[in-house]
Amino acid sequence: MSTESIIRCAALGTGGALVGGLLGGTKGAIGGAVAGLAACAVIEYSSRQTKTASEVDREYKAANRNRLPPAAKIDSYSTVVTPNAPVKAGDTIKVNSAIRAVSGAQEQVTEVKEVLVAYAPSGDEFKRGEKIVSSTPGSGEYDNSFSLRLPQGAPQGTYKIKTQVFLNGKPGATRESSVQFARVNGQPGLVMVAAASTTTDAGVNAQ
C-alpha cells in the first residue's frame, strides 16, 4: 500500500479528519471519507461457467422453435446481494450474478463482462471492479460474484451498489441495490435494505 493510501486509511479511521482538514470544511470531510473508502475498501471477484455453449444453444432452441436469435444476446441476468442481515464493518458484502449469453445466427458471443460500481453515501463513486466471465467465444451460462468489504471507520449512510453486464463490449442490463450503514446494538454495522430500481436495455431479457 502506498504512503498516500496509508494516510487516507488513517484519515478514514478518524472520520476523514486528516484529509478533510487538508481539503477544508464539510466538503473536505466528505472528500476525505471518499478518498479513504477508495484507498481502503476491497473488491474481490470470481466466476465459473455453469453451462456449455451446446447446452445453452439447445435449451434456447427448444424454447424458441428450434431457432437461435438473429444477434448475440444476454438471455437472462439476475443478481442476489447477501447477507440480508446486519454485518460488521470489515465483513463481506457479496453480489452473486447468474448470466446467460446466447450466440445469434449472425453474431457470435465473443465476450461477456460484468462491472460493479460502489457509491458512498455522498453519491460519489469510490470503488469499481470488472470481470470478464466468458473464457471462450460462444454461448454460455455463468455465475459471477463480487465481494466488497468496507473498512473500519466507513461513513454511515446509504451505500449504492450497481452492477451492469456487457455483451461484446456493449452495455446491457443493470441492477442496483442499497445497503444502509448504521449502528446496530450500539456498534457500527451494515443493514441490507430493499433492492432499488432495475433497468433493462434493448436486446436484453433480464430476470
Side-chain angles (χ1 to χ4, degrees), residues 2-135:
S2 67
T3 301
E4 182 181 12
S5 295
I6 293 172
I7 291 173
R8 287 177 171 176
C9 289
L12 181 64
T14 57
L18 179 58
V19 175
L22 295 176
L23 296 175
T26 302
K27 183 179 292 187
I30 293 173
V34 172
L37 282 170
C40 307
V42 176
I43 288 183
E44 298 173 341
Y45 40 79
S46 64
S47 60
R48 65 187 182 93
Q49 186 166 352
T50 57
K51 289 187 178 180
T52 65
S54 59
E55 289 173 319
V56 171
D57 288 348
R58 183 171 62 249
E59 291 176 3
Y60 187 90
K61 288 179 178 179
N64 292 274
R65 299 181 180 180
N66 203 35
R67 295 178 180 176
L68 291 173
K73 65 183 293 186
I74 298 296
D75 191 45
S76 66
Y77 177 45
S78 61
T79 60
V80 176
V81 180
T82 56
N84 191 16
V87 297
K88 302 183 299 296
D91 286 352
T92 299
I93 304 165
K94 198 165 187 177
V95 182
N96 288 101
S97 301
I99 308 167
R100 180 186 298 148
V102 181
S103 287
Q106 301 169 22
E107 179 192 16
Q108 186 181 42
V109 172
T110 58
E111 181 185 270
V112 180
K113 179 174 70 175
E114 188 177 26
V115 175
L116 178 144
V117 184
Y119 298 88
S122 63
D124 296 300
E125 175 185 332
F126 70 90
K127 208 70 175 179
R128 176 182 292 258
E130 61 180 63
K131 179 71 167 65
I132 296 175
V133 302
S134 55
S135 55

Side-chain angles (χ1 to χ4, degrees), residues 12-16 89 151-156 181:
L12 181 64
T14 57
Q152 296 291 336
Q156 295 191 64
F181 186 81

